[in-house]
Amino acid sequence: MADLATLLGELERLVQECATQLGQASSSEELEAVRVEHLGRKGRMAGAMSALPSLGPEDKPVAGRKANEVKARLTAMLEARQTELDRAAEAEKLASFDPTLPGRTPPVGSLHPVTLVTREICDVFAGLGFDVVDGPEVENDWYNFEALNMPPDHPARDMQDTLYVTDSIVLRTHTSPLQVRSMLAQKPPVAVVAPGKVYRRDSDLTHTPMFHQIEGLLVDRKVSMADLRGTLTAFVRRIFGPETNVRFRPSFFPFTEPSAEVDISCVMCGGTGHIHGETCRVCKQTGWVEILGCGMVDPNVYGFVDYDPELYTGFAFGLGVERVAMLKYGIGDLRMFFENDVRFLSQFS
Ligand code: PHE
């Protein structure tokens, strides 16, 4: 028969030895090893308790109570040591941390110059009462050409280097289909600007297969060429400064009559053609740079959208956003817009 005193002594010794081992344990792994050795399923506690069944009936409850107490003490000791180790680790981390160091600010992005200029231009027209609208980049031939007075065999279709999706679906070659879509969507008065991407089969130093345009359209009773002139002059001066001059040159577009191209006095040389005695490369010494095409909406177009050409007149214009951005920011190379070089882009925040 096992002896109660031996068992109790054994349990007490276990506590002492566990305390000693814990004092030496310096990591969570070592702590776990100590726990397994003492409290594990095959540990010393379990080993000592295997004597329990052979104790006398009056000794069993005494041994049981002692066992529970020892188990609780061991558990508490292990937990206390773990807390101690955690604190030490935390203190060590804090010791190597300098709270007076300045913080690291996360880099803040900036808008692409095309986005900036698009927004600025649309804001100017919104201020003049124009709505900002958009439409599909994959467009029906009918909107891109036919309803703009360009029947199937019209030479302007070649001129535009169209990218075809199918025989009757194209990547829009200009934002002008938004003229048609806007007029079909509402009755006059119509005043809209439509920014967006356009596509042409064209790629060299000064042309990219995708670029951005902004279309403008105003149709109402008694809209005249003078309104076109006044609106575009006001717009140009808002974007390029009040001293900028504007010149209208006769031109041709199938969907406007008469048509014009608009030049502004060169923003690089102030219209003089020279910078510090050297030839201005932006305007090639002419003092003028082209920025947009425009005209009075051709009465034929009204036929396609069911507007009465006897009642209504209007003007339309289309401008290249990259071109305006180049002039506004003095960017010499069109490719800059498409290379996504952060050193370039971050200059426009
Ligand atoms: N859509 C023409 C182009 O891309 C520009 C334009 C728009 C001309 C509106 C006149 C009126 O070249």
Side-chain angles (χ1 to χ4, degrees):
M1 200 189 249
D3 171 31
L4 177 63
T6 311
L7 177 53
L8 296 183
E10 170 74 17
L11 287 174
E12 201 50 53
R13 199 157 349 110
L14 216 129
V15 174
Q16 300 309 320
E17 285 177 22
C18 184
T20 313
Q21 285 182 28
L22 280 180
Q24 289 158 2
S26 58
S27 70
S28 292
E29 293 75 41
E30 286 172 23
L31 219 61
E32 175 62 7
V34 176
R35 191 192 65 78
V36 169
E37 182 181 337
H38 291 85
L39 288 173
R41 216 155 43 82
K42 292 178 183 157
R44 295 181 57 180
M45 178 88 189
M49 292 315 285
S50 65
L52 192 69
S54 51
L55 286 181
E58 68 284 1
D59 289 344
K60 274 185 189 163
V62 182
R65 261 196 307 278
K66 181 71 180 172
N68 281 338
E69 177 217 312
V70 164
K71 195 171 169 191
R73 277 164 73 194
L74 289 179
T75 308
M77 283 159 62
L78 280 155
E79 265 168 24
R81 183 62 180 149
Q82 181 66 60
T83 309
E84 240 172 72
L85 289 178
D86 288 348
R87 290 230 176 92
E90 190 66 17
E92 198 176 328
K93 232 196 282 174
L94 279 176
S96 60
F97 165 72
D98 179 356
T100 65
L101 278 177
R104 267 180 283 241
T105 10
V108 177
S110 52
L111 292 173
H112 194 283
V114 167
T115 305
L116 284 174
V117 168
T118 300
R119 287 191 185 177
E120 202 176 325
I121 294 171
C122 289
D123 281 352
V124 170
F125 283 103
L128 295 172
F130 286 71
D131 289 331
V132 181
V133 300
D134 64 6
E137 291 169 28
V138 180
E139 185 59 285
N140 286 314
D141 184 282
W142 192 81
Y143 291 101
N144 195 82
F145 291 123
E146 199 149 348
L148 287 167
N149 206 23
M150 284 179 272
D153 52 2
H154 198 282
R157 293 185 175 214
D158 300 338
M159 217 168 71
Q160 299 228 349
D161 296 311
T162 311
L163 286 156
Y164 282 87
V165 178
T166 70
D167 281 351
S168 59
I169 298 173
V170 301
L171 296 186
R172 67 179 176 195
T173 57
H174 50 182
T175 42
S176 299
L178 266 305
Q179 292 184 33
V180 180
R181 289 182 173 276
S182 301
M183 286 190 278
L184 284 173
Q186 65 182 109
K187 291 288 152 206
V190 179
V192 294
V193 283
K197 294 183 167 74
V198 301
Y199 301 85
R200 291 181 195 178
R201 233 183 63 212
D202 206 350
S203 186
D204 59 35
L205 270 184
T206 54
H207 297 89
T208 48
M210 183 281 289
F211 61 102
H212 297 78
Q213 284 190 335
I214 297 177
E215 193 78 9
L217 174 73
L218 178 87
V219 182
D220 201 353
R221 290 168 194 257
K222 300 194 170 78
V223 175
S224 74
M225 191 91 187
D227 297 313
L228 171 60
R229 249 191 100 93
T231 305
L232 291 181
T233 304
F235 153 70
V236 160
R237 294 194 170 152
R238 285 285 296 278
I239 296 292
F240 293 103
E243 66 292 339
T244 315
N245 284 321
V246 180
R247 148 176 115 168
F248 283 64
R249 266 183 301 106
S251 183
F252 175 81
F253 299 102
F255 37 93
T256 47
E257 182 59 35
S259 303
E261 278 168 331
V262 173
D263 298 337
I264 61 170
S265 52
C266 180
V267 287
M268 294 301 149
C269 62
T272 62
H274 298 275
I275 303 174
H276 309 306
E278 299 227 25
T279 303
C280 176
R281 269 182 296 171
V282 172
C283 64
K284 304 197 181 68
Q285 217 178 323
T286 62
W288 297 97
V289 286
E290 185 195 321
I291 62 154
L292 58 82
C294 64
M296 301 307 291
V297 177
D298 192 304
N300 282 349
V301 174
Y302 293 136
F304 288 99
V305 297
D306 211 16
Y307 276 17
D308 183 353
E310 299 297 323
L311 225 50
Y312 299 112
T313 52
F315 64 73
F317 59 88
L319 62 87
V321 179
E322 280 83 356
R323 183 147 183 85
V324 171
M326 285 173 87
L327 292 170
K328 194 170 161 63
Y329 296 120
I331 299 163
D333 188 342
L334 180 68
R335 291 169 299 183
M336 291 289 194
F337 291 106
F338 303 96
E339 282 171 354
N340 290 330
D341 185 329
V342 175
R343 293 168 301 176
F344 170 73
L345 295 175
S346 61
Q347 295 176 53
F348 301 92
S349 35

